[in-house]
Amino acid sequence: MLDVRMRHTLFCVLPLFLLNTPLYCEHTQDAELTLTPNSSYLFNGEIVTFICDMREGPDTDWQYEFNRNGQQIFSFNTNNVHSLQLTPDLSGDFQCTGRHKSSTEFTKQSNNVTLSVSAHRPRPALRADRTGIPVGGAVTLTCSVEGSTGWKYQWFRRTSASDEEMVIADGSGMENLSTAQAGIYWCRGRRGNPVFLTEQSDVFRIEITLPYRTFVTLQHNWTKIFSGEAFAVICQIEGGGDTEWEYEWRTTSPNTPPAHSEYRISHVSVSHSGQYWCKGRNDLYSSTEWSVALPLTVSPNKPRPTVTSNRQTIPVDGEETLICSVEDPAEWKYYWFRRASVFSESQLIRDGEPNRAISVSQGGIYSCKGGRGNPVFFTEDSDAVTIEKRLSDKAVVSLQPNWPLIFGGEMITVRCDIHQQTYSELEYFRMDYIDFIEYDNTEWEYEWSSPNSDTVPTSGEYRIRNATVSNSGNYRCMGKLTQDLYSSTEWSDVITLTVSSNRPKAHLSADNRAFSVGGSVTLTCSVKPSTPGWKYFWYRGEKTSEPLTSQLSAGPIRVSEGGVYWCRGGRGDPVYYTEYSDSVTIYKIVTNKAVLTKQPNWSEIYSGESITLRCEIQGGDTEWEYEWTTTSSRQPQNVNEYRITSASLSDSEDYWCKGRMRGAQQNSTGWSNSLTLTVSDTPKPVLTVSPSWLSAGASVTLNCRVKDQSAGWRFYWYKAVPDPSDNFYSYELLPGSSSGTEQDSYIVNGQTHTAGYVCRAGRGDPVFYTDYSQPQFVWSADFHSSASLTVSPDRAQHFISESVSLSCDGNSSEWRVMRLDEGHFASDCTTWGTMTGSTCNMDGWYDDAVYWCETGSGEFSNAINITTGFRIILVSPVHPVTEGDSVNLVCTLETEELLSNVTFYKNNELVRNDYSEELNISEVSESDEGFYRCEYSGVMSPESWMSVKSFNSPFPVPLITGLVVGILLIVPLPLLLLCWYRKSKDTCCHRLIMCQGTNQSSATVHTVNQDENQQQVYSSLLHGDFCVYETISGSGNTGSGERSDECRRHTSQIQLKGLGKRGMHDDSAESSDYSNVNSDSGS
């Protein structure tokens, strides 16, 4: 009978079978795969047992399948346990699957078990906590198979008494073994059923340490051993008694000591250096501990002793102590040697004594060496030390001649003299035989100490025939007896010789360079640095001539003849000469006077100008040569004019000149007056325009100011033509100013539109021009048909947070919106706004400024003065108001709320305070023009200018149109013939201008009259929608062919203006960028 769980399972599964859907109603646990031995790392030959547990119901309710790497190795059966003998190719992932006997669809899968099978049988590792068994102690051994678990271990031991192994642990699982017995130990592991055995471990030797102290000593207790010496290393066992020991040695050197207590080396080498240990052994497993290491260092080189002494000279009747020093001096015996000269053999004077110091009373060459051991080992010989015996005679060194400074090329002698000592009979009696010979035969050899030791003689004179800097330095000498070179005097005192590398140059000076008739001049010749022994040779004229023999002197001379003088010094035998002095010219002063002037005589010269300095000699017709001098090193040519074609700042200095008679160069004038030349940077004129805003019928006055206004300047006047394509202005020369005007002002009559002007000044021949002034503008608020500017919102004042648009309109496809701020700085929209097409947009915080448009064809629009406000503004018209029109002025807040209690002001004077909402002017007149502002609750708006333009009655257009058409049909042909016929005479040239047919167009009749002051006057007529003739009147015949060219130039210029096009630019002398309307005298 099925249990409840089974019945429940069948109840749930049956409907699902019908749906062919393998789902389960009850959650079941996963199957589990385990193995024995339980290790993921197994070895070739081991047997592993897999156990599959469904963890649900009895094991007999299931059938089991086993897989490796997804491939079946045991098919479904009722056995859930399977065993495998492993081979390396069975490594992989193992899994079992259970299938319930009641339904083939009811299966469960186990976890994955990963096996790694090694191809080699493992070898356990055997470790010990120490290498030997101390007295009364034990050693713990550990056996382990790395990386694998489940092992039990067997332990084995072998002793010296038997070669057979003894099992001391049968594999019951001890991993650690503690033992107090000596012997050779090893182990192996086992696991599984049937049992799988590892390889045997490596053997481990355990010894018992005996309680005796061992130490290593040297035969000689020397600090250091040297290559070639003989010595022995000895092993000693303390407390060993009569035990017969075998000895073991251990060393870091490549040599192997014998198994004896002594390691004797007859000829040691560097290879014996190292650490040495020893121990004693009385059987195979019983020994002492290793001794403490004895370091042995063998030096490859023999030591070399040094001989020292307090001094190397023996005073008269004295002695000197010599000391032989070697490393570790107490370990050596000492051998001393002496040579009587460099050519004699060494004689042994001390043979192997322990005292390393000796006292000597003889001069000579001394050396020593050390020795020790048996056989004796000798050190190297020491360096030799020379000991001299001092005599009482005194050496004195001197210079001949005794000058403190010698110059390169001079001859000098350094002399050594021996002042011998006189002896009494008693002193002679005290001398031995050798001493007697020394002083009886006073032949000396000399030793010198000098900067140049390669050329020092052994005689008493050191002659330098051609001194050089290398001879400079300290000199001293001593004398040695010829019969005994180790008996000498003391060194003399030092004498210093100084040799200058350069031949000295004589210096010639005069108390005056010029003298009047009957006078004289004192000349002084000197040599620097000042040294004694000089005499001076004097020359007049050429320095290669014979000296003035009558003037050979050691001091100054007086001369009363003009000319060029030289001198030089000489001393010694043969004579050593200095360099010649620089020449000094002595002049005889004439009565003529030099005067220095400049042309043109302007107080200030500018960089790039031309200037001429002229030297004039007053009095007499003598032919002159000229000499110039300046405050700098500049030296103008010796002509009477110094022309500076392009002045620079470096030309700013003081100038003088004088004249010298061409036939008698020593006769000259005095220096002229000083002329100060000041050169400044190129000036930039300042242009002012008045008025700034145009009104009907008003003229515009241009004023050009430059530094030093009266210094010969002529003024050139230009119109600024905008060029939006390159963000610059080009300049067109105004008519009549191609040669400049004397006046610094220029009047433009009838200007109706916004315009820009520039000026510059020029003077001299060729003309020097200043920089151009900054452009200045005259503003017109009237609309212009070809270029106009509108603002949105359409008012003169705006809030700072408000967005404002400036729009250009007219006959152009290229626009630039400009502004001039209160700092008189002009800039375009791209620097303070956003330019889109012909509109410039500003998003708040714009400056109070004048705004205008510029076209690609070079025209200006009307100008608008925009003011910003913070809390309150006045709503006023942007453009001029026509006389007779009505105007309403209102005050508003930023919220666009119109205010009622408002006070209005005009030109800062109250005009209404009746608290109305607006200021209404019903019929505007010219008197209403001015600055307006409003006030609300104590807050004042900015002020704005309201411009009023006059009302002009319209001309009878039909009448004018008919008249003009008739003229156009009848007049042109005779007019053109007349112009052609009279092109070379002083008459008018007429040109018909085509009409544009646009409202508010203007044709301008310019009349340029050149009078004595060259005052330019422009007149302009404003016309309606009809055509006119423009006329240019000639100013007279200026030469053959000039008038016709002039007529053509002006006609072409006016025709382009009439068509509203940009003027053509002629290449003029001033600039290729500017059009010269009249390049000669105007028209």
Side-chain angles (χ1 to χ4, degrees), residues 882-1024:
T882 305
E883 283 184 313
D885 290 348
S886 63
V887 172
N888 290 331
L889 303 179
V890 296
C891 237
T892 181
L893 295 175
E894 194 170 3
T895 59
E896 299 184 359
E897 175 186 357
L898 296 180
L899 306 175
S900 57
N901 299 325
V902 179
T903 303
F904 293 91
Y905 298 86
K906 175 189 175 187
N907 298 331
N908 290 327
E909 293 184 359
L910 184 66
V911 294
R912 178 174 296 176
N913 61 351
D914 55 0
Y915 304 110
S916 59
E917 296 180 354
E918 59 184 23
L919 174 62
N920 178 266
I921 306 174
S922 58
E923 291 187 5
V924 174
S925 64
E926 186 176 352
S927 63
D928 293 316
E929 194 171 63
F931 287 100
Y932 287 84
R933 68 171 61 191
C934 63
E935 181 183 9
Y936 173 74
S937 297
V939 180
M940 191 76 71
S941 75
E943 64 179 6
S944 291
W945 174 264
M946 187 178 76
S947 178
V948 178
K949 64 180 181 179
S950 59
F951 175 77
N952 293 325
S953 299
F955 230 80
V957 176
L959 176 62
I960 297 301
T961 302
L963 178 63
V964 171
V965 170
I967 294 173
L968 288 175
L969 294 175
I970 298 172
V971 174
L973 182 59
L975 182 62
L976 292 175
L977 292 175
L978 179 63
C979 183
W980 177 260
Y981 174 75
R982 302 186 62 185
K983 65 180 178 179
S984 62
K985 299 181 180 296
D986 188 16
T987 57
C988 301
C989 180
H990 302 278
R991 183 67 177 261
L992 185 62
I993 301 175
M994 301 301 295
C995 298
Q996 292 292 325
T998 59
N999 293 330
Q1000 301 290 335
S1001 66
S1002 64
T1004 305
V1005 179
H1006 295 285
T1007 303
V1008 181
N1009 298 319
Q1010 181 172 359
D1011 55 13
E1012 294 179 357
N1013 296 327
Q1014 296 186 1
Q1015 178 70 35
Q1016 309 299 318
V1017 179
Y1018 291 81
S1019 61
S1020 174
L1021 296 176
L1022 182 65
H1023 300 279

Side-chain angles (χ1 to χ4, degrees), residues 125 280 495 641 841:
I495 190 168
E641 285 189 354
N841 298 301

Side-chain angles (χ1 to χ4, degrees), residues 276-290:
Y276 286 81
W277 298 265
C278 76
K279 69 177 178 178
R281 179 180 301 281
N282 63 1
D283 62 27
L284 189 59
Y285 300 108
S286 300
S287 65
T288 67
E289 289 186 351
W290 284 103

Side-chain angles (χ1 to χ4, degrees), residues 43-65:
F43 300 93
N44 183 26
E46 275 197 282
I47 294 177
V48 64
T49 299
F50 295 97
I51 303 171
C52 186
D53 184 6
M54 292 293 104
R55 302 173 70 184
E56 181 177 352
D59 294 337
T60 56
D61 291 344
W62 298 84
Q63 290 183 333
Y64 303 90
E65 180 189 52

Side-chain angles (χ1 to χ4, degrees), residues 844-865:
W845 289 105
Y846 40 88
D847 296 329
D848 293 353
V850 178
Y851 295 80
W852 71 96
C853 295
E854 295 174 354
T855 71
S857 59
E859 295 185 80
F860 292 89
S861 73
N862 57 295
I864 296 176
N865 194 352

Side-chain angles (χ1 to χ4, degrees), residues 752-754 780-791 794 807-809 860-864 878-880 949 999-1001 1022:
T752 59
H753 302 301
T754 298
S780 172
D782 286 339
F783 277 108
H784 189 1
S785 60
S786 60
S788 63
L789 171 65
T790 58
V791 61
D794 187 17
S807 299
C808 302
D809 189 24
F860 292 89
S861 73
N862 57 295
I864 296 176
V878 175
H879 305 290
K949 64 180 181 179
N999 293 330
Q1000 301 290 335
S1001 66
L1022 182 65

Side-chain angles (χ1 to χ4, degrees), residues 544-622:
T544 57
S545 61
E546 291 296 321
L548 303 175
T549 55
S550 62
Q551 298 293 350
L552 181 63
S553 68
I557 64 171
R558 294 190 65 82
V559 295
S560 57
E561 188 176 357
V564 179
Y565 288 86
W566 318 73
C567 75
R568 65 174 174 171
R571 70 180 182 183
D573 185 17
V575 177
Y576 172 83
Y577 291 101
T578 68
E579 298 283 355
Y580 287 97
S581 70
D582 293 332
S583 65
V584 170
T585 303
I586 304 300
Y587 298 102
K588 183 177 180 180
I589 300 176
V590 298
T591 58
N592 302 70
K593 183 179 180 181
V595 177
L596 181 59
T597 60
K598 64 178 178 180
Q599 294 295 330
N601 191 22
W602 295 325
S603 61
E604 189 169 13
I605 305 300
Y606 296 99
S607 180
E609 283 197 284
S610 298
I611 190 72
T612 300
L613 306 183
R614 181 175 290 114
C615 186
E616 298 176 351
I617 309 299
Q618 297 178 348
D621 297 330
T622 306

